[in-house]
Amino acid sequence: MEEKGLSYESKMLQFSKKEHKGPEIMALNPRGQVPTLVDGDIIVGESLAALLYLDDAYPEHPLLPSSKKERALAYQRLVESSNLQEKVSGVIRLKMFNPNPDPADVQKAKEALKGELKYWDEHTKGGFVAGSEFTLADAAVGPFALALKRFGATLKEFPHLAKYVETVGARPSFQKTSPPHWKDSPNQDWLNDL
Ligand SMILES: N[C@@H](CCC(=O)N[C@@H](CS)C(=O)NCC(=O)O)C(=O)O
């Protein structure tokens, strides 16, 4: 919405207080998950569906390329981002909600993430994930790329992805919408071997 210049109200929830499982959110999204988009009487759960909905419903400042070929790649990367989401969340979930996770489980999740990062290092060679321009696919991938940095990944072996993290992180849209507590607290070291 920042990238498209749309006005919106953002409501952050505290997972530690289980706010995402409270009645207000459960009524909107029976999975009790964020993000959930509410646009008048239209409710869209699932981040990728919300991105597609927004670009379709508000065509000004489109975030999908006009050529069929480029749009096809942007769609592919958009949907492909669910793999990155799953692999990043796989490690974070183990560390965040469990003071003593099984090291073998953590190792396995990190290896899966490392395998995934190889794809994204290749995909970011052009600057953004679907070429040289920011697209809707970057709105999907960018937050997880920034999460890699937040959780300590150095990305030494993934130079294109490392550059991408800096590029998207510097965009005003990402500066404005990254979790505010990330600015006031040090990064974690959970992924510092990646
Ligand atoms: N496929 C969903 C995944 C959403 C998701 O897993 N959200 C996490 C936070 S990033 C969440 O709400 N987790 C709480 C839970 O699943 O109970 C999407 O892309 O929107």
Side-chain angles (χ1 to χ4, degrees), residues 15 20-21 32-35 46-47 85:
F15 275 28
H20 56 309
K21 302 296 178 195
Q33 289 189 330
V34 296
E46 292 296 328
S47 54
Q85 177 183 125

Side-chain angles (χ1 to χ4, degrees), residues 54-76:
L54 286 168
D55 213 48
D56 185 46
Y58 299 94
E60 230 179 287
H61 305 298
L63 290 177
L64 284 168
S66 52
S67 102
K68 271 200 291 193
K69 192 172 177 186
E70 290 176 1
R71 204 159 61 241
L73 182 61
Y75 284 139
Q76 183 186 319

Side-chain angles (χ1 to χ4, degrees), residues 15 20-21 29 31-36 45-49 82 85 89 93 97 144:
F15 275 28
H20 56 309
K21 302 296 178 195
N29 182 337
R31 291 182 189 267
Q33 289 189 330
V34 296
T36 298
E46 292 296 328
S47 54
L48 304 185
S82 61
Q85 177 183 125
S89 307
R93 213 178 290 124
F97 301 116
F144 292 97

